[in-house]
Structure formats: C-alpha cells, structure tokens
C-alpha cells in the first residue's frame, strides 16, 4: 500500500524463526502445504489449509497465517541471551496477585457468574501490568477458557445466555496448549455482521458490561434556573423588590395606598421570567452538546466474531472479543496480545511512559513463565487509550468501559466543557461594558440619594412612603446595572456554536473541539490531502506494464503504432504463463493488509483502496478465488508494514522449495531504483529474468511518467528470493533477532511490473476549490504521489495558478527557513511529501501569520493536524490517531465539506458581531436614557421603570441572542476575504452603526420625553411616558433587523424568511410588547394609549431602518477619522480621572484583600469545610476589589480602531482589544 494509511491489518502472523539451508531444487511458487511444527518448537504452527468444500473462515481473520494457539501443542526455544535477564520462576508466583484492592472488593463478587473470572480479577492484569496476575489467571489459554471465547474465531454471534459455569480451577489448571474444553461455536445460517442481535451476549454484558462510560448527566432545568438566578445583582434586585413588596402590602393594609405592592410583584415576576428563559436556553444548549458528544465518541472497530472479521461499534465491545490491531489504532479496551508482527504501542497517554512498547504474544510469554526464563521486559498487555505505532496483530479483550484502565482515568477526569477563546474574550468584553454601566449606575444612585436626602426635611410623607421612595431609587440603580451587564454576549457565542455544530453534523462535519468552529471562519489556507479528499478514493487499475514492454489498458486507444501495441486486460492476462500469473497474483494477495468482508450486504474487499483495487484485478483477471485459501497455504516469515518514508511495503513468504521470497510493492519510480533485473518472456512457460539495462530503465521511467501525466497512481511490484530467513549478512532488528531490516534486503530486486490506478476527482471539488480561492483561502495539495501525478491532479482541481510552485518533499525539507518563507506564498503542490514535511509546512505558514487548516488521515499526520489551527481528519479512511489529533472530522472524507466548515465558522463569528452591535446600541441608549431622565425628574423617577428595563434586558440579552445567533450562512459569506488574527472584534463599520443608531434613539426619546408635552399638549404625563417606552422598544425591534448586516449593503432582509428562529423570536417580542402596552398597567407603570399615540410610537421607531441606510452610505474611512479623534479627546479628558480613581481604590482594595482572605479562611474552618490550601492564600478572594498595577493597566487598555479599521494606540475609553484569534 502506498497511500500512507494501513487500513486493515492481517490478524495473526505465522513466523518461522528457524534458519534453513537452501534447497537444491529450483524455486517453484506453486500451491504449498503448510509447514508442520518442528520438534524443537521453533515454528509457530499454522493451521491446515482450508478446503474449498469445508467451512471457511473467509480469510477475514487470516487465521491460517498465524495458526491457532488454542488447539496445538506449543513450545518455544529459549533464546541464548535469556540467561542473564531471566528472572526466577518463583518471582511470578505471587499469592496476592489477584487479591482485591481496598475499595474494589465489589468488582470481585459477581452473582451467577458463568465465567471463571470476575471483572476485578481481570483488572489485576493492568493495575499495574502484572505478569504474576497473568500467570495466576492461566495465561492466554486460561483467559480464553475462563472467558468462554476463542482466540482464533472470537465470540459467537449467536451467543445470548450461557449455560453452566466454568470454574476458576478448570480454567487455570488445565494443561496449556491442549484442546480447549469450550463447546464449538454455534453453527447457524445467520449472517455474521457487526449489527446488534436482540439478546446478544446477555450474560457477558451483565457481568463485564459493554464499552460505554456513564454519560455525564446534564443538569436539570431546576439546577440551571438556580445557576441563572445565582447572580449577585439579580439577588440584590430581588431583595429590594421583596422589601418594596412588603412596604406596599403594609401601605395597602394601612389604607394609605392600594397599588404600591404591584411594582414589587412585577419586578419579582420579571426576574423569574428572565431567569427561566435564560435557563431554558442553557438546557437546550446542553442537550445539543450531549447529542453531539455521543456521535463524537462513537466509531467503528474491527473485531473477529464467529471466525469472520466484522466492523462493530466501539461501544459494543465486551470482554472475550478478539480485536484487530493496526498502525494508527487507538486501543479501545484492555486486553492480552494474542499474536501478530512487530506490534509497538505508544502508552504515554495511559502510563506516562514515552517509550515505544513492543508487544509479545501471550503464548510466548506463558511459555517463558513456565520455563522460568521470563523477564520483566515481556509485555503481552494491551492498554486501552494507547496508540498502535506499527505492526499488525490481534488481541483478546479483558476489560471494557469503566472496568478498563483508560475508562477509569476518563471517569476521574469528566469535567465541564471548557469555554472557547471567543467565549473567554467576550466574557472579558462583557465585564468591561458592565463595569462602565455599573459605574454609571453607581453615579446615578449617589446623585439620586443626595437629592433624596436633601429633600427629606421637606418630605411630609409617612415613613413607609419615604422608605418606598428610597427603595425606588435603589431599584432603578440596580436595574441599570442589570441592563448594563451584557450577560448575553457569552450566551450568544454558545448558542451560535450549538446551532452551528448541530447543522454542521448534518452536513458531514463532526466538530470535536468547539474552538475550531469559530477559528475555521478565519482560515487563510487549507493544506489538503489528495487521496479520498480531493479524489473519490474509488480506485481501479486501468493500465499497466508487465516486464519492460508488455503494456495493457482497460480501454486501449487505437491511435499511434505504440498505442495499438497496448493489449486489453483479457488479451494480456489470458495469455500469461502460469508461473507469471501466480507470481503476479501472490505479489498482490500476500503483500496486502486488505481482506474479504461484507459491506452494505455484499461481499467485497475491505482495506486500503489502493490494495482493494489490486485485489479486484487479481480476482477478475488472475484467477484469485478465495483470499483466505490463498493465504492459508502460505507461511509468512516476516511482514514489512507500509512506511511513509520509503513509500512501500513488503512480505516474506516461504516457498514449497524451501526458499524465501520477498514481495515488495510501492511508489513505482522509487521501486524502479531498487530493481536490477526484470522478468521477461512472460507468455512462455519458461519465464526468465534478465538484467535491467539503462535503455530498458529509461523506457520504464517514461511509461511511469506517462501514467502519472494522466493522473494515475503508479504502483511498482518487485520480488527477490533468499536461501534462508533472515538472510546471512542481513542487518537484524535489535528488538527481534529473527527479523531482518528492510533496507538491508530490499536491493538488487527483480522487476515484475507497474500498474496505473485511477482515482477520479470527487464531485464538486473543482467548484469547492474555486470558492476557496474566491473567499481568499489558498488551497495547497500535500500528497505522497510523484510530482507528475500531483501536478496533473492539481491542475484538474484548479489549484494550479500561473505563479504556482510545485515542489517535492525531499527538496522542500532541505530549504532554509528564509528560503522556505520566500517560496511559501506561491507553493501550491508538495509532492512525495512525508508527514514531517507537512508538519514543517504548517509550522512555517503559521509563522507567517496564516490561519492554517489541514486535512489528514494517517497516523503520521497527527503532528500536523495537532499543530494546525484547524485539523480535519477523515471519518472513513482516517486512523483513530488522526481523528484524536483533529478538531473536526469529515464524515464523508470530502474536501467540499471543508467549505461547509468555512461558511459556518464565518457564520458563528458574524452572529457574535451582529449581537454585539445590537446589544451595545441598546446598552448605550438604555443607560443614558435612564440616567438623564432620572436626574432631570424632580421625583427621582426614570422614564423607564425597573420592570420596563427588565423587559428590555430580556429582549436584548436572551431573545436577541437566539434570533441573531441562528442565521444560517449564505453563499455570499464566501465573497469576502478572511479576517486576519489582528483584526478587532468590533470593526469600524460596527462602531458606525452603534454610535449612529444610539444617537438616533437618544434624540427621538429625549425629544419625546422633554418636549413631548409641548408637541402633544393634550397628552397626560403617563401617556407620554408610555409612548416613550413603546417607541424605545420598537426601535430595538427594527434595529435588530439592521444588525443582520455587518457590511454596507442595504438588503437587511436577505435570508430572513429561512430563519424560523428569528421570525419566531421577533413574533414573541412584538406580541409581548403589544400585550404589555394593552394590559401591563400598573405593573409596568404605563397606561393604555390610543391609535394616534400608537402611530407616533411606530412612526418614530420605523425610521431606524431608513437611518441605517443613510449610515451605510457614510464611508467607513471618514467615520474612522472622526471616531478616532473623539476617542483620543476622551482619553485625554478621562486619563487623569482614571489615574486618580486607581490611586484611591488601590489601597482600599489591598486592605479589603488583607481582611477578606483571613476572614474567609476562618469562616471555612469554623464551618468545617476543610483546610485552607495554598491556593487560597495566594489567590485573591472573589469579592476583593480589583487592583491594577502599571503593567496590568497597559495590558488592559482597550484599543481604538484607526482609520483603516486596524487597532490604534491604547485608549482607556475605547473598546477592549478583543480579536478573533486562533488558539496558539
């Protein structure tokens, strides 16, 4: 395989560790009989070949390549160097090996347990790794019997309830290696599939459970209501309202007033509504994220059940299952390694150890334990959460779910979801805005309080009325704080992300990290894989050359003389000699990790698409009948898994003659360099080999280049024979002296041929690439194919431009940083690249300030996916390591789906900006209107009462967040370039709309409030105040429509008919306002108004839309000059005041902190809440007033936008420096 991904491993591998002399007979690669185990036990015994008429295991397990340890005698030759490292046999005979740990006793006691072992006993294998426990449980054979499974055939799909019971003694004391006492797997006509069968594994799941962790319970609606209410300002407002209600009831009982209690009730009801609606939003958001997480955690794994390899959900794994291991797998459950080849695992995520851990088969470990030659280095343990780095094999599952080691870790680490960077920054912005509003409210309170105290001597009202008047002042001030604090800002991000991720899932984007959704909107470049992303990954062999000049094609042309010499498939393969046909077929079937299986109810080949394409060729043209049978009759001595560095893979098979044949396939131009001879006379019985001369080599290189120019992937096929394995003089692997190093044997090989594999472009890829380029996103293709193929496909996709640079990985990695930075802007294709090349490319692009998105599917793509700002892994072809390293999974492996992520990412950022523009406008207007009207009124009454302000707060926080956060993206969102990381969140255009709309609303409301009596002399004061309130709310409704556009285009209604959330929320707002005006009465401090007054309310509010058009006509550059100048003036005026306040408050804050922390610590001790930690001592109290050091002041200073929209010099009165930046 050469596409960089090992899709499916062959399970158990048969390894011949014995060196044999060369047989005097000529090599004949004919059907062979399995090698019998030698008397010295140096061969792992293979199973007898499967007869066509017998019951076949269909080759999915490749069981015959490894043999069955269960049913054969087994012994192992002691290594010569084991004497020094061997540990005494008694060291692993620990009577306490299975003793329950304190607190885990319940795991050892299972009622009606039909198995020999309890979950607690199996957990002792890995708590920590314990060879003593492994021995006490009877080794691999003991586990096999005790779990009532079969290490070759896996669990039976027919298993439901189990009859009888297997005792611990029966499982652990039977002679190892003898036939199992397990009953044979049930025979049935049912198809073996990964689908769940009703009642399947009833007893097994009862005892060992499945591979699910208990879901993190979402908080109930009542808990969310309590959390929403648990705000100091709301609690303070409630206390004031309750006091007001009490005084009102007192006055009503005393007979002095019968309606003063209504305001207190109205405030309490308004608080309840605000809290309930906010909690309902949180509840809905929690449900959406829980649903998303369920989908995110599920994946398919390859298991062996009833002798066939099937794909099952990772959640359906249970103890006794036999699972495949392959490079890139994230191990889903604990277990014991059965057998395989060269399996190494990275267990750092589970154990913290960074070393690669080589795995030893369970039977070999048992044999050494029995012989007394075992050492602590033996490791048959497969730990859940670890990653398979290389090798293939199978393992027996012993613990799943909460019983597995990784499950226990995850259970202890279940925490709430972290806020995204945008949520954190908006939280800071909300605090900044709330601080200004709170300062205004505090100033208002002191002004009104001073006036109240000054008027108190002349106030003839009763004490209760005076108390009510004071409470009115306090309530208005507190309500201004409620309105000023924009708690809806973080809520808007959350709602936008929840809505976006749910919709993205329907469009094949599974978001694993929320921050990626918002970051993707600002991506400036996408580094994409080719195979399966830009192309369909539906590969077919369409052309090729056997030897040096025997060319064939699926549809040969009849143009030139050379074209007419190209044969059809039937003519070429129908005339091949038997020996060449068999050589070519076995080069494909034996040197492959694909297998036969069932997909969508039909038999097919499963695995790498490159390998399945070649297997289809073997089946249709080379006489392949049964892949299982083909492999059953051959003994594999060593496998060389695909390596992305050398771009090839290999397998060593023992021939019937006693020779060993190395089959290699890989990137054709690289394989050609390894060949020194070629097969010839391929249609004659006496096939020969001849020297591959320079002329012939050039002809082959030209043929390979010709295939590449037609966008074909070229695979070269070689072989070489050896007298023994490992060969004499070959370099051996340090970890396995019976295995040879690939580079020491893969030279001077014989060329068999080359095939060209066609992988058509995905539908819509050309349009998607064009859309990316139109939106300012550069698409780069990073592929392992040769430069000619890569250039051809990039041209077909539209990636190539006039100044585009195409470079190969080996040359790219030699460039200096300066040269690399110089060439990167024009680099469009990186061919023959390694995963390290991709990582370096991402690193340098980020260094240049780019926001980088990367697609990848292989294990080695992990570093690049992790380093990228947004990593896209493939849901179909991607390995589990790649998926874990990524932030978004493309469920359809389609490049066009990245456009979906780009659009929704921009939609999330736009939603936040829309809401920000709307809310800041309301904040400014409501606070100034309340402040000025209350100060101007002789009775300390504001034109907007506390209940009215709470209704406005409900509109601008919760309801507007829902309405503006749910706008779906349109295609026009791609017609603008991405925002750089340094761009401010509040743009110049937004400030223009905020200040312009706030100015209009203030002019209209002040005109109505101060001059309304002169303009409309027949109106009463109550009617005028009602009109002011009504007009103010309607201005917010119309301004919400204005906020739907962030540019200077006029169509604010674009797509509004498709957003049912927006229409519904606005219907609630409009309906609620009409009801309030008609029946609000005393609760809202208003009166009914007539038609003319309604007309005034609407006609003064409606021009907000026309005013928005006029504002959009003002050039942003000119507004920026004026705005920047005004900000500088305010900075100069308020700078000394800020310094003075800081000088005054700083010692007060320090004193408060010095008193509050010891007091809090003392209270905790008195209440018995535990000892104070050092963190309590070092961190300030939550109630402590803030202090600003000079450095803190400078870092906290907001940035005023310049004329060109970029951030200018720090200014204490301009908006804070909130930018949409990608996570570092």
């Amino acid at each position: 395989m050469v596409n960089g991904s090992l899709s499916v491993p062959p399970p158990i591998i048969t390894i011949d560790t014995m060196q044999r002399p060369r047989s005097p007979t000529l090599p004949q690669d004919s059907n062979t009989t399995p090698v019998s185990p030698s008397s010295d036990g140096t061969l792992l015994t293979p199973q007898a070949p499967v007869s066509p008429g017998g019951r076949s295991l269909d080759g999915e397990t490749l069981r015959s390549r490894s043999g069955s340890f269960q049913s054969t005698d087994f012994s192992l030759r002691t290594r010569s160097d084991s004497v020094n490292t061997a540990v005494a046999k008694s060291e692993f005979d620990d009577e306490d090996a299975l003793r329950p740990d304190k607190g885990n006793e319940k795991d050892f006691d299972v009622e009606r347990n039909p198995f020999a072992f309890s979950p607690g006993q199996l957990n002792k294998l890995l708590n920590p790794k314990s060879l003593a426990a492994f021995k006490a449980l009877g080794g691999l054979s003991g586990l096999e019997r005790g779990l009532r499974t079969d290490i070759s055939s896996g669990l039976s799909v027919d298993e439901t309830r189990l009859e009888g019971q297997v005792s611990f003694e029966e499982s652990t004391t039977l002679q190892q290696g003898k036939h199992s006492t397990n009953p044979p797997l049930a025979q049935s006509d049912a198809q073996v599939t990964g689908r769940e069968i009703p009642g399947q594994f009833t007893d097994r799941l009862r005892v060992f459970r499945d591979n699910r962790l208990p879901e993190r319970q979402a908080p109930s609606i009542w808990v969310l209501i309590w959390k929403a209410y648990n705000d100091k300002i709301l609690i303070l407002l409630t206390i004031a309202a309750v006091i007001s209600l009490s005084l009102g009831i007192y006055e009503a009982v005393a007979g002095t007033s019968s309606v003063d209690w209504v305001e207190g009730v109205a405030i309490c009801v308004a608080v309840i509504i605000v809290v309930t609606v906010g909690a309902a939003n949180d509840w809905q958001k929690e449900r959406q994220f829980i649903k998303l997480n369920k989908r995110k955690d599920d994946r398919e794994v390859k298991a062996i059940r009833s002798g066939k390899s099937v794909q099952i959900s990772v959640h359906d794994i249970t103890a006794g299952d036999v699972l495949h291991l392959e490079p890139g797998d994230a191990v889903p459950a604990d277990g014991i390694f059965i057998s395989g080849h060269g399996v190494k695992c990275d267990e750092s995520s589970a154990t913290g150890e960074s070393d690669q851990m080589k795995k030893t088969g369970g039977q070999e470990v048992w044999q050494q334990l029995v012989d007394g030659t075992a050492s602590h280095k033996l490791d048959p343990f497969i730990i859940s959460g670890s990653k398979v780095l290389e090798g293939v094999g199978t393992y027996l599952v012993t613990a799943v779910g909460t019983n597995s080691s990784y499950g226990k870790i995850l259970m202890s680490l279940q925490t709430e979801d972290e806020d995204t960077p945008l949520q954190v920054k908006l939280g800071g912005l909300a605090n900044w805005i709330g601080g200004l509003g709170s300062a205004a409210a505090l100033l208002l309170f002191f002004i009104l309080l001073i006036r109240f105290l000054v008027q108190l001597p002349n106030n003839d009202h009763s004490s209760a009325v005076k108390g009510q008047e004071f409470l009115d002042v306090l309530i208005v001030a507190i309500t201004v704080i409620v309105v000023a604090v924009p708690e809806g800002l973080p809520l808007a991000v959350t709602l936008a992300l929840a809505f976006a991720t749910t919709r993205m899932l329907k469009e094949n984007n599974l978001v694993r990290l929320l921050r990626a959704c918002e970051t993707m909107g600002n991506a400036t470049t996408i580094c994409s894989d080719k195979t399966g992303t830009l192309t369909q990954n539906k590969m077919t062999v369409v052309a090729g050359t056997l030897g040096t000049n025997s060319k064939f094609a699926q549809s040969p042309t009849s143009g030139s003389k050379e074209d007419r010499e190209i044969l059809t498939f039937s003519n070429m393969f129908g005339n091949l000699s038997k020996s060449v046909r068999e050589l070519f077929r076995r080069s494909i079937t034996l040197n492959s990790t694909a297998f036969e299986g069932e997909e969508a109810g039909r038999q097919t080949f499963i695995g790498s698409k490159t390998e399945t394409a070649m297997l289809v060729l073997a089946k249709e043209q080379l006489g392949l009948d049964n892949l299982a049978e083909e492999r059953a009759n051959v003994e594999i001595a060593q496998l060389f898994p695909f390596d992305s560095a050398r771009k090839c893979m290999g397998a060593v098979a023992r021939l019937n003659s006693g020779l060993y044949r190395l089959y290699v396939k890989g990137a054709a131009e690289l394989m050609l360099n390894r060949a020194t001879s070629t097969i010839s006379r391929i249609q004659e019985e006496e096939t020969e080999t001849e020297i591959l001369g320079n002329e012939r080599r050039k002809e082959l290189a030209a043929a390979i280049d010709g295939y590449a120019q037609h966008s074909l992937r070229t695979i070269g096929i070689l072989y070489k024979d050896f007298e023994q394995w490992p060969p004499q003089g070959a370099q051996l692997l340090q970890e396995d002296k019976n295995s040879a190093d690939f580079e020491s044997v893969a030279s001077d090989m014989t060329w068999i041929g080359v095939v060209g594999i066609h992988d058509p472009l995905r539908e819509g890829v050309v349009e998607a690439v064009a859309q990316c380029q139109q939106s300012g996103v550069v698409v780069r293709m990073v592929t392992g194919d040769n430069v000619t193929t890569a250039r051809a496909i990039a041209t077909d996709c539209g990636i190539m431009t006039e100044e585009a640079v195409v470079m190969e990985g080996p040359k790219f990695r030699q460039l200096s940083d300066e040269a690399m930075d110089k060439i990167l802007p024009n680099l469009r294709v990186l061919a023959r690249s390694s995963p390290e090349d991709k990582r370096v490319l991402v690193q340098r692009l980020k260094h240049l300030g780019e926001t980088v998105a990367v697609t990848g599917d292989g294990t080695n793509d992990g570093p690049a996916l992790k380093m990228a700002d947004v990593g896209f892994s493939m849901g179909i072809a991607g390995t589990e390591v790649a998926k874990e390293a990524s932030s978004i999974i493309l469920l359809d492996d389609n490049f066009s789906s990245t456009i979906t992520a780009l659009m929704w990412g921009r939609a999330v950022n736009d939603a936040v900006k829309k809401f920000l523009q709307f809310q800041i406008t309301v904040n400014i207007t409501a606070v100034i209107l309340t402040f000025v009207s209350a100060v101007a009124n002789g009775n300390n009454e504001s034109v907007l009462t506390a209940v009215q302000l709470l209704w406005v707060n409900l509109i601008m926080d919760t309801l507007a967040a829902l309405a503006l956060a749910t706008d779906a993206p349109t295609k026009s969102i791609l017609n603008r370039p991405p925002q750089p990381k340094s761009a401010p969140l509040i743009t110049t255009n937004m400030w223009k709309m905020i200040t312009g709309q706030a100015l209009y609303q203030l002019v209209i409301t002040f005109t109505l409030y101060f001059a309304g009596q002169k303009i409309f002399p027949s109106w009463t004061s109550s009617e005028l105040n009602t009109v002011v309130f009504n007009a103010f709310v309607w201005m917010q409704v119309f301004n919400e429509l204005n906020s739907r556009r962030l540019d200077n285009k006029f169509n604010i209604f674009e797509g509004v008919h498709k957003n049912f959330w927006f229409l519904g929320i606005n219907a609630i707002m409009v309906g609620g306002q009409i009801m309030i005006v008609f029946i609000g009465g005393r609760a809202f401090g208003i009166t009914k108004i007539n038609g003319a007054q309604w007309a005034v309310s609407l006609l003064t509010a409606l021009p907000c839309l026309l005013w928005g058009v006029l504002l959009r006509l003002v050039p942003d550059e000119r507004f920026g000059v004026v705005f920047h100048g005004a900000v500088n003036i305010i900075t100069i005026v308020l700078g000394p005041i800020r310094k003075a306040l800081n000088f005054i408050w700083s010692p007060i804050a320090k004193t408060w902190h010095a008193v509050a922390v010891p007091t809090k610590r003392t209270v905790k001790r008195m209440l018995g809440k535990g000892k104070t930690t050092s963190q309590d001592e070092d961190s300030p109290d939550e109630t402590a007033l803030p202090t600003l050091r000079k450095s803190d002041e400078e870092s906290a200073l907001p940035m005023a936008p310049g004329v060109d929209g970029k951030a200018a010099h720090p200014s204490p009165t301009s908006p804070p420096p909130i930018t949409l930046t990608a996570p570092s």
Side-chain angles (χ1 to χ4, degrees), residues 30 53 94 97 333 435 439 620 758 765 898 1060 1135 1153:
S30 57
D94 187 356
E620 294 178 352
H758 179 55
V765 160
T898 61
F1060 298 109
H1153 180 263

Side-chain angles (χ1 to χ4, degrees), residues 503 966-968 970 1044 1054-1061 1063:
R503 290 288 297 273
T966 51
D967 267 337
T970 61
R1044 293 189 72 247
E1054 181 182 6
V1056 70
H1057 62 287
K1058 297 179 181 178
N1059 188 348
F1060 298 109
W1061 278 97
L1063 297 176

Side-chain angles (χ1 to χ4, degrees), residues 18-19 31 46 81 146 277 407 533 577 603 634 679 691 1020 1129 1207:
M18 187 176 183
Q19 297 184 0
N31 288 336
D81 60 349
V277 173
T533 308
S577 66
Q603 285 294 118
V634 178
I679 60 173
I691 298 298
T1020 65
I1129 292 174

Side-chain angles (χ1 to χ4, degrees), residues 178-383:
K178 294 299 181 184
H179 290 282
S180 172
T181 58
N182 289 353
L185 295 176
Q187 303 283 339
S188 78
D189 296 330
Q191 277 191 320
V192 181
T193 67
R195 295 186 292 273
E196 187 176 350
I197 298 173
Q200 191 178 43
F201 307 131
T202 301
D203 283 332
R204 197 173 294 273
L205 294 177
R206 176 179 59 82
V207 175
F208 300 110
R209 304 178 186 174
D210 58 14
N211 201 33
R212 287 178 174 84
L213 296 180
E215 296 178 4
R216 180 176 64 85
Q217 293 297 321
S220 67
I221 186 67
W222 303 110
V223 172
L224 292 174
I225 288 175
W226 174 248
K227 286 184 177 180
Y229 178 71
N230 208 3
D231 178 88
K232 295 175 183 177
I233 304 299
L234 284 179
I235 292 174
L236 189 61
L237 183 61
T238 305
I239 293 172
V242 169
I243 296 174
S244 174
L245 175 62
S246 302
L247 290 174
I249 294 174
Y250 172 78
E251 291 181 21
V253 172
T256 57
S257 174
S258 61
V259 294
D260 283 350
W261 60 271
V262 174
E263 185 177 27
V265 172
I267 293 175
C268 292
V269 171
V271 169
I272 292 172
I273 292 174
V274 169
V275 168
T276 304
V277 173
N281 270 335
D282 287 340
W283 185 82
Q284 177 65 19
K285 179 253 305 181
E286 287 283 344
R287 291 300 179 276
Q288 285 180 315
F289 285 137
I290 287 176
K291 182 179 179 181
L292 185 68
N293 285 333
K294 283 183 179 178
R295 179 71 181 271
K296 179 181 72 176
D297 295 335
D298 196 10
R299 58 185 170 93
E300 297 283 303
V301 295
K302 301 178 185 68
I304 302 173
R305 287 187 174 175
S306 290
K308 294 187 177 183
S309 281
V310 293
Q311 292 185 319
I312 63 174
S313 168
V314 69
H315 295 150
D316 294 335
I317 300 170
T318 187
D321 261 319
V322 176
L323 301 184
H324 287 285
L325 293 172
E326 65 177 28
D329 274 353
V331 178
D334 292 341
I336 297 297
F337 185 50
I338 298 173
S339 183
H341 179 79
V343 173
K344 292 183 180 178
C345 294
D346 174 10
E347 298 176 352
S348 57
S349 60
T351 65
E353 298 294 334
S354 58
D355 295 338
Q356 297 182 10
M357 306 302 294
K358 186 179 186 304
K359 300 303 173 181
T360 309
Q363 286 288 7
E364 181 177 345
V365 173
W366 172 262
Q367 194 64 45
Q368 292 196 34
L369 286 170
V370 171
D371 294 342
T373 59
S375 73
H376 287 293
K377 294 182 179 180
L378 292 175
D379 187 1
F381 305 105
I382 303 295
I383 302 180

